[in-house]
Amino acid sequence: MSGNQIRRSMPILPIGTVMQLTDLTARQIRYYEEHSLIHPARSDGNRRLYSLNDVDQLLEIKDLLDQGINMAGIKKILILKTEPAPIETTTTKPEVSNEEVRKILREELLQAGRFQRPGMQNERPRFFH
DNA sequence: ATTCTCACA
DNA sequence: TGTGAGAA
């Protein structure tokens, strides 16, 4: 049950293939990398090589973006994906499932994200007066 | 043919 | 985020 995981994390896809698989432009794919949303491997003459996991990662990013979440939020969400089991605190109290924590955090991010979104690009954030 | 980085009438 | 230039 790990052979596939190994394969899924194997860096083999050139950016061109990833573009077709995700419907994202090379510009966007590289842009997300600049913001540490993905970490494709490099090879040959400095060419990016993506794994199937990276492709899934990008598809999720695209989704989150459509949902109105920004890079910062996506970054946090992605970290939750990477570190599924935060910390089994020493407290043996009736645990609040990680899923519960995630749900809450996800909602928070949705809120934060909705602020600077396309639609009212000209309006400046006038929090006061 | 592809992808990379960098810059922007 | 798009686009084009010059190199690899």
Side-chain angles (χ1 to χ4, degrees):
Chain A
M1 273 150 261
S2 57
N4 290 308
Q5 288 309 327
I6 292 177
R7 272 182 280 264
R8 292 187 66 66
S9 60
M10 180 176 279
I12 52 178
L13 314 175
I15 197 168
T17 303
V18 178
M19 288 172 72
Q20 299 179 188
L21 262 32
T22 63
D23 282 301
L24 289 170
T25 65
R27 181 79 175 78
Q28 295 176 299
I29 297 173
R30 299 193 186 106
Y31 183 69
Y32 303 152
E33 180 185 349
E34 286 186 71
H35 290 272
S36 305
L37 267 40
I38 52 178
H39 312 115
R42 292 273 183 157
S43 188
D44 317 291
N46 192 43
R47 279 175 166 55
R48 273 168 261 252
L49 292 180
Y50 302 81
S51 66
L52 293 175
N53 281 326
D54 290 326
V55 173
D56 289 339
Q57 184 86 294
L58 285 168
L59 290 175
E60 290 183 44
I61 292 173
K62 201 175 75 165
D63 250 72
L64 267 16
L65 247 26
D66 288 332
Q67 287 177 45
I69 301 176
N70 59 165
M71 308 267 105
I74 294 177
K75 196 176 296 183
K76 293 180 182 179
I77 293 176
L78 255 36
I79 291 176
L80 291 182
K81 284 281 187 178
T82 305
E83 304 169 31
I87 299 175
E88 267 315 314
T89 50
T90 52
T91 61
T92 315
K93 283 180 168 291
E95 312 177 24
V96 177
S97 67
N98 289 321
E99 219 179 290
E100 190 60 56
V101 178
R102 291 195 200 180
K103 180 184 178 184
I104 297 174
L105 184 47
R106 181 165 57 70
E107 290 171 3
E108 281 183 30
L109 295 173
L110 273 171
Q111 287 303 313
R114 289 189 200 299
F115 254 88
Q116 280 209 324
R117 265 272 96 187
M120 53 166 268
Q121 296 123 346
N122 296 317
E123 284 305 314
R124 238 154 277 324
R126 295 165 189 153
F127 299 107
F128 312 110
H129 88 286

